[in-house]
Amino acid sequence: MARMTVKTLAAAVGVSPATISNAYNRPDQLSAELRERILATAKEVGYPGPDAAGRTLRMGRAEAVGVLLSERLSYAFSDPFAVEFLTGLSEVVEEHGISIVLMPLAARTNGSPPNADGPDLTAVRNANIDALAIISLPTDHPAAMVARARGIRLVTTDISGDPESSWVAIDDFAAGAMVGEHLAGLGHRDVAVLVETNQPAGSPGRRLAEDELGFLDYAARVAGLRRAIAGQVMIISGGHNSIESGATVTSWLLDHGEAPTAIVGLSDVLALGALQALASRGLSVPAEVSVCGFDDVPAAQAANLTTVHQPIREKGQHVGRLLLDPESQPRQVLLPITLVTRATTGPARQR
């Protein structure tokens, strides 16, 4: 059977193609009787409706916004921070009938060109979106540069000194300093910092240099910690952001020498993994090791974890507003943070 088009439906009804278009896009231009006749005929002949891509091109809008994920797609549905952030964002955009396109930065595959470096940017090059949220990646990241070259508006979750930029952020340096000052006040001078990388969850633990931190928020938090801690700050990772990674790298740390007096997960998820590993080794928290996190996800409260609270859902809502409306003000939003002291931190043990 030949594919039904606007022209063939118009011929079947005995009207012009413009009248068919009005039946779907401007029903107020037709009588109710004529519109009902057009829709009934469309159903009979199997006409699926106007082409969405073509309508988008004519209107100059995609009616969709993107969220660039530095992790795999499943992260958006499993990580408590991502879930809360996307919930806030969706609460705003769904009021306007706008779609959200989740765009993970896919790793290169075996089928990639042999000289290809960096992430696969195909999704960013091909995405049919009006604006893009970039989470914890620099504005000169290749994905951001591709989006900007395409004329896609960007909203980031990190502070930028560019007066023309749009962002919703917390002061991650101040957040790191809060945790560092709290631990320093308890006598801690030897701190291990758990960070995520794009390696699989539970990868072999390894030490990282500060210039290997791939996320802006993590780099700022570590810098704040270093300012407050007078002793040793060791950066280690066991893979992407997951409880398994936090547990694996904490076990690796304990296997390679004396435990630090404090462990700081740069997310609550990593800190929860550290608590799990310490418990399995029979180490008392906080008597032997103190543990801190960041973000204050619901599981942190359940675990009585000391952490930095940030308004995650509110962050998503603000980002949603800036994505939808290029005229929305203010374009730069700094959200409040607080240190929530719970039962997982205490005075440093005596060596």
Side-chain angles (χ1 to χ4, degrees), residues 103-169:
M103 303 163 56
L105 279 177
R108 294 286 180 178
T109 66
N110 292 334
S112 300
N115 296 323
D117 294 319
D120 185 348
L121 303 177
T122 303
V124 183
R125 292 191 179 99
N126 296 338
N128 189 21
I129 56 176
D130 297 310
L132 178 65
I134 297 181
I135 302 174
S136 301
L137 291 173
T139 54
D140 61 354
H141 187 279
M145 295 175 70
V146 168
R148 195 178 294 111
R150 291 187 56 204
I152 295 172
R153 292 182 289 106
L154 301 181
V155 178
T156 72
T157 57
D158 293 285
I159 297 171
S160 170
D162 180 359
E164 300 301 316
S165 63
S166 299
W167 50 262
V168 181

Side-chain angles (χ1 to χ4, degrees), residues 187-265:
H188 294 277
R189 300 292 182 269
D190 182 10
V191 178
V193 181
L194 313 187
V195 305
E196 70 168 294
T197 63
N198 282 329
Q199 296 301 308
S203 294
R206 67 184 185 96
R207 293 188 65 160
L208 299 177
E210 199 159 341
D211 61 6
E212 293 182 86
L213 296 173
F215 304 106
L216 293 179
D217 52 351
Y218 278 11
R221 291 174 188 183
V222 169
L225 275 165
R226 286 195 186 281
R227 188 190 73 172
I229 299 292
Q232 174 177 292
V233 176
M234 178 194 309
I235 306 171
I236 57 177
S237 179
H240 77 79
N241 193 43
S242 68
I243 289 178
E244 182 183 357
S245 295
T248 297
V249 74
T250 300
S251 295
W252 174 86
L253 177 66
L254 298 176
D255 289 338
H256 285 75
E258 187 176 358
T261 64
I263 294 175
V264 177

